[in-house]
Amino acid sequence: MSTLRGTRKKLLGLVIAGVGLIGIAVPSVVFAADLVSFMRSVILDWIMWPFVQLLNLKVVILIEVASYNDFANAEIVTIGWETLRDLSNMFFVLILLIIAISTILKWQQINYRQNLRRLIMMALLINFSKTIVIFLIDFSQVITLTFISAVKGVLQAGIITALGLDTIVNPTMTTNLGSATVSFAGNLVIFITAAIMILVALLVVTLITLIFAVRIIALWMILVFAPLAFLASTLPQTKEWYDRWWKTLGSNLTVAPALAFLLWLVFALVA
């Protein structure tokens, strides 16, 4: 009888201990889950909320700036190009007068035949410089706007979803009923990493927007000074300016398609 009573006491003790452990573990797990959700709310919903809204605004501005395609009809281009075209034509007439006088006086220093051919070509390029540059810009814009349209479609769900941050910031619970522990450190690292990614994305989007905006202004100036650039190509002393003009035009034509492609590639890989 004493042995049976001892066995019953042991079983009763085990049952009480098990119930006690469950009573301690379950509230601990629930409290831990609430604490992880609280950390997520503090870091992402409170601290990072203004930066997320600013990032969404920057993305909208980026799409609008990158989609700009009215270079030919910009007022600064229309007025500036026409003014410098007329000025270049005046220089053209002046140079023709100099060649005519040198021909009458038989100045050997001026090779009027070679200069006349170059001047006729220059006159054509001066008056069609806007058309030539706009054609090159349109070719660059076709490629740019193709990738920007694809990026715009991806960003309809929001920049956070497009970057995949909505999937990595969900709390990851590692629960052990024996110790009732939750991986607080792991979730904290995830939330801090997501916050850093948001700040980096904000910086990158801002820089890309600035590059597109500066490109628009640069192409305006390139169009305005196109007549003078072709005029400078006729003289050895000023040909260096003509070469710099072409180099600047080429760099501004290639930077937009390259950036648009990289944006599309990033979002495509994340998706």
Side-chain angles (χ1 to χ4, degrees), residues 89-267:
N89 286 328
M90 291 174 60
F91 276 106
F92 171 72
V93 174
L94 179 61
I95 294 173
L96 285 179
L97 288 175
I98 294 174
I99 292 178
I101 294 172
S102 65
T103 303
I104 294 173
L105 299 178
K106 297 182 180 180
W107 288 348
Q108 299 298 327
Q109 291 85 353
I110 300 179
N111 189 344
Y112 73 91
R113 292 181 179 177
Q114 181 180 358
N115 290 328
L116 186 59
R117 289 195 298 267
R118 185 180 298 177
L119 284 171
I120 293 174
M121 181 62 67
M122 178 197 68
L124 293 174
L125 292 176
I126 286 174
N127 289 279
F128 288 97
S129 59
K130 184 179 179 180
T131 304
I132 295 172
V133 177
I134 288 296
F135 173 78
L136 297 175
I137 292 175
D138 287 343
F139 181 77
S140 174
Q141 288 296 102
V142 168
I143 303 174
T144 302
L145 295 179
T146 300
F147 290 114
I148 291 297
S149 298
V151 172
K152 190 175 182 180
V154 174
L155 292 177
Q156 288 180 350
I159 183 65
I160 300 300
T161 304
L163 291 175
L165 294 178
D166 58 331
T167 59
I168 69 173
V169 296
N170 293 323
T172 304
M173 307 295 295
T174 305
T175 307
N176 189 325
L177 290 178
S179 57
T181 61
V182 179
S183 181
F184 296 109
N187 285 288
L188 184 60
V189 169
I190 290 175
F191 299 149
I192 294 176
T193 303
I196 294 174
M197 290 178 64
I198 291 173
L199 294 177
V200 172
L202 178 61
L203 177 61
V204 171
V205 170
T206 302
L207 291 177
I208 294 176
T209 305
L210 288 176
I211 291 174
F212 274 106
V214 171
R215 172 181 177 266
I216 293 174
I217 299 174
L219 289 176
W220 284 347
M221 295 298 101
I222 288 171
L223 278 165
V224 168
F225 287 98
L228 291 182
F230 286 108
L231 178 64
S233 65
T234 59
L235 301 176
Q237 295 82 358
T238 57
K239 193 174 184 302
E240 181 182 357
W241 301 347
Y242 173 73
D243 295 334
R244 288 183 181 178
W245 179 84
W246 270 113
K247 185 177 180 180
T248 305
L249 175 60
S251 61
N252 283 279
L253 290 179
T254 55
V255 66
L259 285 178
F261 170 74
L262 290 177
L263 281 174
W264 170 80
L265 183 62
V266 167
F267 290 119

Side-chain angles (χ1 to χ4, degrees), residues 1-11:
M1 292 293 293
S2 59
T3 304
L4 181 60
R5 289 178 180 177
T7 302
R8 289 179 179 178
K9 289 181 179 180
K10 290 181 180 179
L11 291 175

